Amino acid sequence: MTRNDSPKPNNFIHQIIEDDLSKGLNDGQVVTRFPPEPNGYLHIGHAKSICLNFGTALRFNGRCQLRFDDTNPEKESQEYIDSIIEDVRWLGFEWSGEVRYTSDYFEQLYAWAIHLINEGKAYVDSLSAHEMREFRGTLTEPGKNSPYRERSIEENLALFEKMRNGDFSEGECALRAKIDMAAPNMNMRDPVIYRVRHAHHHQSGDKWCIYPSYDFAHGQSDAIEGVTHSICTLEFEDHRPLYDWFIENLPVPVKPRQYEFARLNLNYTITSKRKLKLLVDEGHVNGWNDPRMPTISGMRRRGFTPASIRNFCDMIGVTRSNGTVDMGMLEAAIRDDLDANAPRAMCVIDPIKVTISNLAEGEQEWFELPAHPKDESMGLRKVPFTRNLLIEREDFAEEKPKKWKRLAPGDAVRLRGAYVITCNEVIKNEQGEVVELICSYDAATKGENPTGYKPNGVIHWVSADNSVACEVRLYDRLFTEANPDADKNRDFHEFLNPESLKVMVNARAEIGLKHAVAESRYQFERNGYFCVDPDSSEQHLIFNRTVTLRDSWAKIQAK
């Protein structure tokens, strides 16, 4: 691992570990792991788990391992594996040793399944999946024993070998642990530990046609790897007795313990991989790394920084109480980061032409502006003042409302870092749309307040003659409802925000951004924080809006 931050305040998991270390448990070692299933891209909820697992190892001078729990080849792919590896590294963490896979342990897991059969604690069941569900019972009624539960050890061994050899079709039989069909915990009612799956595996190829269940493979993989503290979300709390049962009934080299924490629930978001995949497959977004997606790769493309995500995870803390975090907190984390670290620039997103009538055609004056108003180390940037300028269309009102602080006919405004201009004439097209403003500039107002009149505010601008054309993508929240999954009678698709993306193709940015590189971030003055999209080029510069300067959604919620 590469980061070595100072210790953060204790959470309950850290307190457990400190108690274990004080008792001399685990030989004073702390070994954690981040064990994603490679069946989708990582999202913001995974970021919390990554920070907790890697951060815990860092705090206690231990090690954290990256393992792919790849027991379901039909839903997994190398694409997902590659994206997960990249995301973990981008967040600033490095795992101990090589990348691990549960599939590395398939032979050992198979041997342990045979061990359970020999101990009379596992059997091959020939019930169909439908029959198994019927026999399982309900939360209020106990299950019933399968008629195949008392097969002999010899018969089970022979059937299990035939399963491995591919002699059964999918669903024809399964290996189950023999625990207790009347257990109050449904997970303990003879869970399936091996299924027949004639599927090609991205790591082991066609070597196997049976695959272990997640519950069977997970804890044993932890044990093989010497994990001391298996940290997972609360949804696995009811699985812990099964985790412990396998550990106690198998000759594993070490005995890890499972601890659960509350998963991250973020409003205006869904984090179900199945639903996120639907959004991708149905074309509601442009891939897993669409900047509207809550995936780490999507957030990266949108302009979030690793530090902002780590800080956000620190802010929300680690508890055992489920709750929902406000999206505003995540957006505040990136605003704080970029306010301090993003250089400033001017970009006119929806331009209207301004002609400076008392400046000659071809005349040009360069202004030096700070790259950051609070950080002199970022230096200066140069912007040209020319006869033909561009300002935001929304910064002009032909009929100004009360308290209007921008440009209007006969009014004056200051151009950021330059002169005061006055609007003298408005030119419209045949449709009555304003297409050009004829203005004059006051040469005495360079760095000085005008005499005899007061400018009506400050607006940003760029030169129409010497600026760079760009496409600006204005991203917003993907859903209009704070909890798109709350109403079980309505589909989450109904709450997709039709305004989640607006593409502005006629934007112009100050000339110094001509060579801006992918993932570089800027504050566009008065417009928000923006990031250069990876698909950009000097011929087609694209900026993605990361976040606005202020939380406009807070006002919406307050209404």
Side-chain angles (χ1 to χ4, degrees):
M1 288 169 286
T2 57
R3 297 177 64 242
N4 191 18
D5 296 345
S6 58
K8 300 293 188 297
N10 274 347
N11 55 58
F12 77 96
I13 289 177
H14 289 173
Q15 188 60 57
I16 288 170
I17 294 174
E18 287 181 352
D19 291 344
D20 287 346
L21 293 176
S22 69
K23 297 172 184 175
L25 298 179
N26 307 311
D27 297 324
Q29 295 293 309
V30 174
V31 182
T32 62
R33 81 289 170 269
F34 175 60
E37 298 173 72
N39 57 1
Y41 280 54
L42 299 183
H43 54 64
I44 184 63
H46 294 111
K48 178 179 178 180
S49 182
I50 291 169
C51 291
L52 177 57
N53 278 287
F54 281 91
T56 295
L58 281 166
R59 177 185 174 88
F60 293 101
N61 296 314
R63 63 180 190 271
C64 183
Q65 295 154 179
L66 174 62
R67 178 181 77 240
F68 290 97
D69 278 339
D70 54 345
T71 60
N72 191 358
E74 294 163 318
K75 294 185 177 180
E76 299 165 356
S77 74
Q78 189 63 43
E79 175 191 353
Y80 297 145
I81 291 171
D82 293 342
S83 72
I84 290 169
I85 288 173
E86 184 174 355
D87 287 347
V88 173
R89 282 185 168 145
W90 178 76
L91 279 174
F93 299 104
E94 191 64 42
W95 47 90
S96 174
E98 298 296 319
V99 173
R100 295 164 166 84
Y101 298 86
T102 295
S103 54
D104 295 339
Y105 316 132
F106 278 176
E107 286 288 354
Q108 178 63 77
L109 293 170
Y110 179 79
W112 279 337
I114 291 175
H115 175 88
L116 289 176
I117 294 173
N118 281 321
E119 293 289 310
K121 296 177 180 178
Y123 63 98
V124 175
D125 193 358
S126 298
L127 290 177
S128 68
H130 175 72
E131 290 170 329
M132 279 190 198
R133 284 192 294 271
E134 287 189 334
F135 275 63
R136 195 176 184 216
T138 67
L139 292 173
T140 58
E141 297 178 354
K144 297 184 296 183
N145 288 346
S146 166
Y148 306 100
R149 197 174 194 265
E150 299 307 322
R151 279 172 164 161
S152 68
I153 291 174
E154 292 72 23
E155 185 179 6
N156 283 317
L157 288 172
L159 289 171
F160 191 45
E161 185 176 2
K162 290 181 68 176
M163 285 174 61
R164 176 172 184 170
N165 292 338
D167 296 337
F168 293 108
S169 59
E170 294 187 13
E172 192 173 352
C173 58
L175 184 70
R176 300 176 70 177
K178 187 186 291 188
I179 305 178
D180 181 3
M181 288 301 294
N185 186 332
M186 300 281 282
N187 294 300
M188 301 298 283
R189 295 182 185 178
D190 290 10
V192 170
I193 57 178
Y194 265 94
R195 290 183 175 87
V196 176
R197 278 200 176 110
H198 296 284
H200 180 82
H201 194 280
H202 46 87
Q203 298 299 314
S204 58
D206 298 316
K207 182 178 180 180
W208 294 89
C209 58
I210 58 171
Y211 291 95
S213 68
Y214 178 89
D215 278 328
F216 180 63
H218 184 77
Q220 282 55 262
S221 298
D222 286 346
I224 291 169
E225 295 173 357
V227 171
T228 59
H229 298 81
S230 179
I231 305 170
C232 57
T233 51
L234 278 175
E235 63 198 281
F236 292 99
E237 184 175 26
D238 288 343
H239 295 250
R240 192 204 309 169
L242 182 56
Y243 183 102
D244 292 342
W245 188 90
F246 284 129
I247 294 295
E248 292 300 324
N249 286 278
L250 288 170
V252 293
V254 300
K255 294 185 176 181
R257 291 295 306 276
Q258 177 177 302
Y259 302 95
E260 306 87 18
F261 67 97
R263 64 176 294 166
L264 170 59
N265 297 305
L266 193 65
N267 63 9
Y268 295 98
T269 301
I270 57 172
T271 53
S272 159
K273 282 186 187 177
R274 179 182 65 82
K275 292 178 179 178
L276 292 177
K277 190 173 188 301
L278 276 178
L279 292 176
V280 174
D281 293 344
E282 294 170 353
H284 299 291
V285 293
N286 299 314
W288 285 92
N289 70 338
D290 187 298
R292 291 167 290 182
M293 291 279 274
T295 55
I296 294 175
S297 58
M299 294 173 69
R300 175 181 180 177
R301 187 173 182 181
R302 185 157 171 167
F304 280 80
T305 62
S308 68
I309 296 175
R310 294 195 306 265
N311 290 340
F312 169 68
C313 292
D314 286 342
M315 289 162 60
I316 61 177
V318 178
T319 70
R320 280 188 53 82
S321 301
N322 276 320
T324 300
V325 177
D326 186 69
M327 174 68 81
M329 186 178 291
L330 175 60
E331 292 172 342
I334 186 61
R335 284 192 190 97
D336 287 346
D337 189 344
L338 295 181
D339 179 58
N341 298 302
R344 276 40 172 176
M346 291 189 289
C347 178
V348 176
I349 294 174
D350 183 17
I352 184 172
K353 184 180 179 183
V354 171
T355 299
I356 305 300
S357 58
N358 56 337
L359 191 66
E361 194 72 54
E363 189 174 346
Q364 184 168 266
E365 180 180 359
W366 288 85
F367 289 90
E368 287 190 339
L369 304 179
H372 194 293
K374 299 177 183 177
D375 189 348
E376 294 182 358
S377 68
M378 290 192 185
L380 300 172
R381 67 189 207 270
K382 293 184 177 182
V383 293
F385 181 78
T386 58
R387 176 180 171 86
N388 302 303
L389 304 177
L390 299 170
I391 66 169
E392 294 286 0
R393 187 169 297 276
E394 66 176 21
D395 282 343
F396 173 78
E398 195 169 8
E399 295 182 9
K400 61 181 181 180
K402 290 182 179 180
K403 299 182 180 180
W404 181 251
K405 292 297 182 183
R406 286 170 274 182
L407 193 60
D411 281 357
V413 296
R414 178 176 290 280
L415 300 179
R416 171 75 70 187
Y419 296 107
V420 173
I421 63 170
T422 299
C423 180
N424 302 312
E425 183 182 352
V426 178
I427 298 176
K428 300 180 181 180
N429 60 17
E430 293 179 354
Q431 291 75 40
E433 300 167 332
V434 176
V435 294
E436 184 178 358
L437 305 175
I438 306 300
C439 300
S440 57
Y441 84 102
D442 186 339
T445 58
K446 181 179 180 179
E448 302 289 339
N449 292 324
T451 302
Y453 64 98
K454 186 177 181 180
N456 204 26
V458 180
I459 64 174
H460 62 280
W461 57 281
V462 296
S463 166
D465 304 317
N466 196 358
S467 57
V468 57
C470 57
E471 176 182 311
V472 173
R473 298 172 180 173
L474 301 176
Y475 289 102
D476 210 330
R477 300 182 186 184
L478 188 55
F479 294 97
T480 57
E481 291 292 319
N483 188 348
D485 271 338
D487 190 341
K488 299 306 178 185
N489 296 317
R490 299 181 67 182
D491 189 271
F492 73 96
H493 290 84
E494 297 181 45
F495 305 117
L496 284 168
N497 181 9
E499 303 295 318
S500 64
L501 171 61
K502 293 181 181 178
V503 180
M504 311 299 287
V505 296
N506 296 316
R508 304 280 296 195
E510 61 183 62
I511 192 64
L513 300 187
K514 183 177 182 180
H515 303 292
V517 298
E519 295 192 22
S520 53
R521 303 169 183 89
Y522 301 89
Q523 185 198 99
F524 286 167
E525 298 196 28
R526 300 176 63 240
N527 274 324
Y529 295 99
F530 291 77
C531 176
V532 181
D533 190 87
D535 289 342
S536 282
S537 65
E538 286 192 20
Q539 292 72 39
H540 187 187
L541 193 59
I542 303 170
F543 289 97
N544 299 327
R545 184 171 68 188
T546 307
V547 68
T548 55
L549 292 178
R550 295 176 183 84
D551 185 359
S552 58
W553 283 77
K555 296 179 181 178
I556 294 173
Q557 288 179 305
K559 289 182 179 179

